C-alpha cells in the first residue's frame, strides 16, 4: 500500500517526503541527525475520517502508514491545513495558536519538522 490516500489529498506530501529521504543517503542521514525523532501525523479529512502517517527520523529515515513505533511527537490537523503547511502557505505556530494544530508529546521536536516539510514543497504538487 502506498502512502497516498485519495480521501486525503495532502497525503501526496508523505510520498514526496519519502522520495526525498530515499533519493540521497547524505540527505537521509542529515534529516535523521536534525530530526532525531519519530513524527506522527493524524490527518482529518472533510468527511470527518482520520488517517495516520509517520516519519521516522530516529533510526531509518523512512515514511510509513500509521503512527509508527512510539512517536516522539504527534501532530493532529485537518487535511486542508496540512496541505497548506507543506505548501508553505500556513505557519505551524499560527495553526497551533489558533487551535487548528494539536501537538501531543515533545513540542520542541515539532519545531524540527519545518526543514523536512520544505523538502516536500519542492516535490509535491498540492
Amino acid at each position: 500500500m502506498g502512502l497516498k490516500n485519495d480521501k486525503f489529498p495532502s497525503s501526496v506530501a508523505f510520498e514526496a517526503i519519502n522520495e526525498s529521504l530515499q533519493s540521497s543517503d547524505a540527505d537521509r542521514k542529515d534529516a535523521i541527525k536534525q530530526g532525531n525523532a519519530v513524527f506522527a501525523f493524524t490527518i482529518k479529512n472533510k468527511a470527518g475520517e482520520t488517517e495516520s502517517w509517520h516519519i521516522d527520523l530516529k533510526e531509518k529515515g523512512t515514511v510509513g502508514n500509521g503512527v509508527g513505533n512510539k512517536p516522539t511527537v504527534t501532530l493532529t490537523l485537518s487535511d486542508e491545513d496540512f496541505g497548506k503547511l507543506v505548501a508553505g502557505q500556513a505557519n505551524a505556530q499560527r495553526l497551533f495558536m489558533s487551535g487548528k494544530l494539536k501537538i501531543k508529546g515533545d513540542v520542541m521536536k515539532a519545531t524540527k519538522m519545518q526543514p523536512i516539510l520544505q523538502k516536500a514543497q519542492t516535490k509535491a504538487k498540492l
Side-chain angles (χ1 to χ4, degrees), residues 13 81-90 117 120-121 124 126:
D81 286 332
F82 180 68
K84 287 178 182 172
L85 192 61
V86 173
Q89 298 166 349
L117 292 177
Q121 277 179 28
L126 292 173

Side-chain angles (χ1 to χ4, degrees), residues 30-52:
D30 187 48
I32 290 171
K33 199 170 106 184
Q34 281 181 22
N36 191 27
V38 176
F39 299 92
F41 293 85
T42 300
I43 311 290
K44 188 175 191 171
N45 67 11
K46 283 186 173 27
E49 302 166 309
T50 59
E51 194 66 52
S52 296

Side-chain angles (χ1 to χ4, degrees), residues 27-104:
D27 277 359
R28 183 170 57 249
K29 285 177 181 154
D30 187 48
I32 290 171
K33 199 170 106 184
Q34 281 181 22
N36 191 27
V38 176
F39 299 92
F41 293 85
T42 300
I43 311 290
K44 188 175 191 171
N45 67 11
K46 283 186 173 27
E49 302 166 309
T50 59
E51 194 66 52
S52 296
W53 289 267
H54 68 278
I55 302 172
D56 179 346
L57 294 180
K58 199 171 189 90
E59 293 162 14
K60 300 182 200 125
T62 56
V63 182
N65 295 89
V67 293
N69 189 18
K70 295 185 189 153
T72 313
V73 61
T74 303
L75 296 95
T76 306
L77 68 167
S78 74
D79 182 63
E80 186 182 345
D81 286 332
F82 180 68
K84 287 178 182 172
L85 192 61
V86 173
Q89 298 166 349
N91 175 303
Q93 218 172 358
R94 281 200 198 108
L95 289 174
F96 179 72
M97 295 300 191
S98 64
K100 291 180 178 181
L101 168 64
K102 294 184 180 19
I103 300 173
K104 197 166 83 187

